Amino acid sequence: MSDATPDSPPPGEHDADIERLFAADGPLAAGVASFRPRASQTGMAQAIANAIAKNEVLVAEAGTGTGKTFAYLVPALLWGGKVIVSTGTKNLQDQLFLRDIPTVRHALNVPVTIALLKGRSNYLCHFHLARTLENGRLTSREDVGHLRSISRFAKTTQTGDKAELSSVPENALIWNLVTSTRDTCLGAECGHYQDCFVMKARREAQQADVVVVNHHLFFADVALKDTGVAELLPTANTVIFDEAHQLPDTATLFFGESVSTSQVFELCRDVLAEGLTHARDGAKWPDVIATVEKAARDLRLTIPDDFAKLAVNQLAPSSELFPALEKLQTELTAMTAVLENQAERAETLAQCRDRAVLLGDALQAWKKKAQTEDVETDNGGKEVNETDASEAVLWVEAFSSSLQLHATPLSIAPIFSKQREGTPRAWIFTSATLAVKNDFHHFASQMGLTDEPAQTWPSPFDYGRQALLYAPENMPPPNSAGYTDAVLDAALPLIEAAGGRAFVLCTTLRAVNRAGERLRTEFAQREWPYTLLVQGDAGRTELLDRFRAAGNAVLVGSQSFWEGVDVRGDALSVVIIDRLPFAPPDDPVLAARIATMEKHGGNGFMDYQLPEAIISLKQGAGRLIRDETDRGVLMICDPRLITARYGRRIWQSLPPFARTRKLDEVLAFLANEPPSNA
C-alpha cells in the first residue's frame, strides 16, 4: 500500500468542481439543511473523484464526522458512470436508497436513476405464498395473523420487499414459507415468473445508473452467481464499498463452502409436502423421509457439546462423525432414487430431486476434502496437509439442534484479486476503521491490495475537549474469576454520575448476561431510576429506539452493538468496554490462519490478532462521539491496555481523547468540568 497524506493529494481534474460543490455557498449547502463545509470531506471527495477518473483503487479511512457518504456519493453521481454501492448492512442500504442518494441527487440536480437490490430471501415469492395459503402448514396463531397480513401486502406492494411490511417482523418464521431460496426457486418454469419481485428488482438494477447492494449480496453473487450482481458487474464503471472493514469476514463466509443438517431437514419437510400433494400413491413418504431425518440427527449427535467449533484434525480418533456422515449419504441417495421415479409428476418434485442431488454432492465433497486433509506426522499426530493449508480449513460447527460442515478459505486475497481483474473500473474502499496507527497493511493484505493508494482523513471533532479515555486502576486480569463484577464495580460510579446514559459493551454473551443480572440487582437496591436494556430482551433496533427515547438508559450488549449504532446527543455519555476484543483462540479458522502465518515467518498475534482487535475496538470507541456537540467518557477496563507491551499501539490507534486513570477526573468531566490533563 502507498500512503498519501491528506495535506498534499495529487491534483485531479475535478478538484475545482469538488471545491465549488462542497463550498459554503455551493449546491450542497443550499440543498441540504444540515450541511456545512468540512476540509476532510472535501479532500476525500477530491481523492475519490480522482480515482474514478483514472479507474483506480482507493482505500479511504474517514474519521467519524467526516461525512464520508456525501464524499463518495457526489463524485459517484456526477462522474461514476454505472455505479454499484455496497454497504455493510441492509439498514444502511435502505438509508442510502431512501434518504442519502435522493438528497444528494436533488441538491446537485443530476438525473441519475437508482435501484435497490437485496438477496432473494428479502422478497415475497408469489409461488410459495400461494402454496402456503393452500396447505396451511402453520403452527401458531401468530403465524396465521402474519400470513393474513402478508397476503394483503402481496396485492398492494410494488417491490415485494419484506422491509416494507413493518407489522410482520423481518425475523418472523413465516417469511421462510413465503420467500424462495436458491434451492427452492423454480426460475423461468414458475407460473409467476413475469410478476416475480426478485426478477423485477434485477431488471430495475440492470437499467439504473446507481445500484445499492450489501456486502453479503455482492459476495454471494461472486460465489454463487445467484443475486443479479453477476449481470451488473461487467457493466459497472465504479464499485464503492462502504463499511469496508467488514469485507474480509463477509468474503470469507461466501467464498467458503458449508453444508448443514438444517438443509437436510428443510428438504425432508418439502419432500413430504410435495409427495403427499402430487404423488400420494408413489411412495410411503413419511417412511422415506424418516430414515433421512434420523441419519441427520445421528450425525448431529456425534458432537456431544451443545455448541462447539472443531477443526477436522481436532476430532477424537474415536469420533463417529465420518461413519454417521456415510450413513446420511446412503439414506439421502435412497430418497433421491424415490424422487427420481416420481419427478415427472410435478415440477416441485423434480426440484426436490435436484436439491437432494446437490446436497448429496456437497456432503461428498466435504467428506473427501476432510479425509484427504489429515496426514500422519512422524510422531503419530496429525497436521494439516501443506497443499491444502494455504487454501482452506475444514471444520465442524455444532448448534443445539444442527451441525454445519465448513470448508473456509484461509485467505480471500487471491480470490478477490482475481475478481478485480478484467474490465478497468474504479474500486473505492471506505470506512472509519481500516488502519492501525495509520498503517493499512492488515486490511490491504487481507483483500489482496498491494501498491494501491491509501489515505486517512481525520475527524473534525475536537476529541481532546469532547472526550476522555479512562483506564481504571487496580483492575484484575481479564481471565480471572469475577472479572465482570470487577468491571461493574469500577463502572457503577460513572453510571451514577452520568445519570445512566451508558453503553456497557462486552466481548462475550456470558458477560452480557452477568452484567445484566448484576445491574438489575444494583439498580433495584440503590433505587436508581435508570432504564436497563439487555441484549436478548428485544431486537437490536427496538432496544436502540428504547435507549434513545428513555434518555437515562443503560444498554448492555455484545458484538452487534459495537458498530453501526448512532446515538447522538445527551442520551449517550459513557461507553464502557469490558475487555480488549481479541477473537477466541479456539476458533479453527483463526488457529489455522495463525499457524500458516507463523510457518511463513510471521507473528500471528502481532500481524493478525492485534490488528483485528484494534479495528474492532475503534468501532466500539466510535459509538461515543457522533457530532460536534457530544461529550463523553470511553472506559476501557482491560488492564492490558496499560500493562502489555502492545497496549501503547492500541491506544495510539484510537481517536486522540484526553486520557486519565483517576476516577475523580472522570467524575469532574461528567459534571462538565474540564479534566486536569485536557
Side-chain angles (χ1 to χ4, degrees):
M1 299 295 294
S2 58
D3 298 341
T5 63
D7 300 319
S8 56
E13 61 181 273
H14 297 299
D15 281 5
D17 294 325
I18 293 292
E19 286 279 3
R20 177 181 58 81
L21 294 168
F22 284 85
D25 58 353
L28 290 171
V32 183
S34 60
F35 180 85
R36 55 195 169 282
R38 283 164 280 192
S40 289
Q41 184 182 52
T42 303
M44 180 178 172
Q46 288 172 329
I48 291 173
N50 200 17
I52 288 174
K54 297 179 180 180
N55 283 328
E56 292 181 342
V57 173
L58 176 67
V59 178
E61 182 180 70
T64 306
T66 300
K68 64 180 168 63
T69 306
F70 278 25
Y72 67 70
L73 284 180
V74 169
L77 267 58
L78 288 173
W79 306 297
K82 177 86 172 185
V83 179
I84 297 175
V85 181
S86 182
T87 71
T89 63
K90 284 185 287 187
N91 287 340
L92 184 55
Q93 194 182 354
D94 287 334
Q95 177 183 311
L96 275 167
F97 177 74
L98 297 172
R99 190 182 75 189
D100 295 338
I101 297 178
T103 297
V104 174
R105 179 176 61 179
H106 176 74
L108 300 181
N109 194 28
V110 287
V112 298
T113 55
I114 59 176
L116 182 69
L117 187 60
K118 297 181 179 179
R120 66 166 67 249
S121 64
N122 292 277
Y123 298 100
L124 185 63
C125 171
H126 292 296
F127 171 77
H128 287 285
L129 173 61
R131 191 174 71 159
T132 302
L133 287 169
E134 286 171 13
N135 63 33
R137 287 182 292 149
L138 303 176
T139 57
S140 72
R141 182 174 297 178
E142 184 180 50
D143 282 345
V144 172
H146 286 336
L147 183 60
R148 196 176 297 120
S149 298
I150 292 170
S151 181
R152 288 195 297 266
F153 172 67
K155 297 170 184 173
T156 59
T157 177
Q158 295 298 307
T159 68
D161 186 345
K162 67 183 186 182
E164 293 180 5
L165 185 59
S166 57
S167 63
V168 180
E170 282 198 55
N171 59 354
L173 294 178
I174 187 65
W175 286 117
N176 295 333
L177 297 177
V178 296
T179 57
S180 71
T181 66
R182 182 169 177 254
D183 290 336
T184 62
C185 175
L186 296 175
E189 302 297 320
C190 180
H192 302 276
Y193 185 75
Q194 293 303 316
D195 301 319
C196 174
F197 291 121
V198 173
M199 292 301 113
K200 181 181 178 183
R202 292 181 181 180
R203 286 193 295 269
E204 290 177 353
Q206 281 290 320
Q207 297 164 6
D209 299 308
V210 180
V211 185
V212 185
V213 301
N214 60 64
H215 301 339
H216 281 77
L217 184 72
F218 187 93
F219 286 112
D221 177 76
V222 172
L224 304 175
K225 301 293 185 289
D226 183 52
T227 66
V229 180
E231 301 155 0
L232 292 174
L233 197 52
T235 62
N237 307 103
T238 304
V239 179
I240 299 171
F241 291 106
D242 199 348
E243 301 299 322
H245 65 280
Q246 298 178 5
L247 290 178
D249 285 345
T250 306
T252 296
L253 175 68
F254 283 103
F255 288 137
E257 299 170 4
S258 295
V259 60
S260 77
T261 57
S262 295
Q263 291 171 272
V264 176
F265 291 127
E266 288 169 8
L267 173 62
C268 288
R269 179 197 69 191
D270 291 344
V271 167
L272 180 62
E274 300 307 326
L276 292 176
T277 301
H278 300 290
R280 183 176 289 271
D281 59 339
K284 294 182 179 178
W285 295 104
D287 294 344
V288 169
I289 70 161
T291 54
V292 179
E293 288 183 328
K294 181 180 185 304
R297 283 193 296 270
D298 288 345
L299 177 63
R300 166 62 191 89
L301 293 174
T302 61
I303 305 297
D305 301 310
D306 281 348
F307 298 95
K309 294 181 179 181
L310 294 169
V312 163
N313 59 357
Q314 291 177 307
L315 293 172
S318 60
S319 173
E320 290 295 313
L321 185 134
F322 286 106
L325 182 55
E326 184 82 36
K327 176 67 172 174
L328 175 58
Q329 288 181 270
T330 300
E331 299 299 346
L332 188 60
T333 299
M335 184 172 79
T336 305
V338 175
L339 288 166
E340 181 66 50
N341 290 332
Q342 304 297 323
E344 290 186 356
R345 301 181 69 171
E347 180 64 37
T348 50
L349 281 171
Q351 185 191 60
C352 286
R353 175 208 54 203
D354 295 343
R355 287 166 62 190
V357 170
L358 289 173
L359 200 51
D361 290 346
L363 291 169
Q364 176 62 23
W366 187 89
K367 186 178 72 171
K368 184 176 179 181
K369 288 178 184 176
Q371 290 182 326
T372 58
E373 181 192 69
D374 294 330
V375 294
E376 296 298 322
T377 61
D378 291 339
N379 62 8
K382 289 184 177 180
E383 63 180 19
V384 178
N385 181 293
E386 288 191 16
T387 304
D388 295 334
S390 62
E391 298 172 0
V393 57
L394 281 293
W395 57 290
V396 177
E397 186 172 17
F399 299 93
S400 57
S401 58
S402 68
L403 190 74
Q404 291 189 344
L405 310 175
H406 301 281
T408 302
L410 294 185
S411 173
I412 57 126
I415 309 172
F416 190 71
S417 294
K418 188 174 181 180
Q419 295 303 319
R420 291 192 297 111
E421 294 173 356
T423 307
R425 59 174 62 91
W427 296 83
I428 310 298
F429 301 84
T430 184
S431 169
T433 55
L434 293 174
V436 176
K437 201 181 168 186
N438 293 321
D439 180 356
F440 290 86
H441 175 75
H442 179 65
F443 174 78
S445 62
Q446 287 181 294
M447 298 303 297
L449 307 174
T450 51
D451 297 321
E452 291 81 356
Q455 194 167 331
T456 295
W457 285 269
S459 168
F461 300 154
D462 185 354
Y463 283 120
R465 179 185 60 81
Q466 291 180 251
L468 189 61
L469 171 59
Y470 172 46
E473 297 177 305
N474 303 317
M475 289 297 295
N479 60 353
S480 60
Y483 178 75
T484 299
D485 285 294
V487 168
L488 296 171
D489 290 339
L492 284 167
L494 277 69
I495 293 173
E496 182 178 28
R501 303 188 300 146
F503 276 3
V504 180
L505 300 180
C506 304
T507 55
T508 66
L509 289 175
R510 180 181 298 175
V512 168
N513 295 333
R514 175 56 193 152
E517 178 185 297
R518 169 81 186 276
L519 289 176
R520 213 168 265 116
T521 301
E522 293 284 353
F523 286 12
Q525 290 178 348
R526 298 169 187 243
E527 298 183 346
W528 285 352
Y530 316 138
T531 301
L532 180 62
L533 304 169
V534 181
Q535 179 178 334
D537 290 350
R540 180 175 180 265
T541 301
E542 182 181 342
L543 287 175
L544 288 169
D545 288 343
R546 285 161 59 182
F547 183 90
R548 294 186 186 99
N552 71 343
V554 175
L555 187 150
V556 184
S558 66
Q559 198 65 39
S560 61
F561 290 91
W562 283 61
E563 60 179 281
V565 174
D566 189 5
V567 180
R568 302 180 182 221
D570 294 337
L572 179 62
S573 291
V574 177
V575 172
I576 299 157
I577 294 177
D578 68 341
R579 307 169 197 244
L580 299 177
F582 290 111
D586 59 349
D587 181 271
V589 180
L590 174 62
R593 282 178 173 159
I594 289 172
T596 302
M597 190 175 289
E598 293 185 342
K599 187 172 69 176
H600 291 93
N603 183 309
F605 179 78
M606 295 300 292
D607 297 339
Y608 191 86
Q609 287 176 282
L610 183 60
E612 285 282 296
I614 289 174
I615 288 172
S616 182
L617 189 65
K618 285 173 70 176
Q619 280 291 328
R623 300 315 100 213
L624 184 63
I625 304 298
R626 305 300 297 174
D627 65 32
E628 286 90 342
T629 62
D630 282 353
R631 291 180 84 255
V633 174
L634 172 65
M635 177 181 179
I636 301 179
C637 300
D638 195 324
R640 292 174 293 181
L641 184 69
I642 306 299
T643 60
R645 286 182 299 170
Y646 54 79
R648 183 181 182 86
R649 189 176 176 198
I650 293 175
W651 58 255
Q652 286 183 336
S653 298
L654 296 173
F657 298 165
R659 299 189 297 274
T660 186
R661 304 205 67 195
K662 303 297 183 184
L663 177 60
D664 58 349
E665 292 186 353
V666 178
L667 300 181
F669 181 89
L670 290 171
N672 219 11
E673 301 171 16
S676 59
N677 64 342

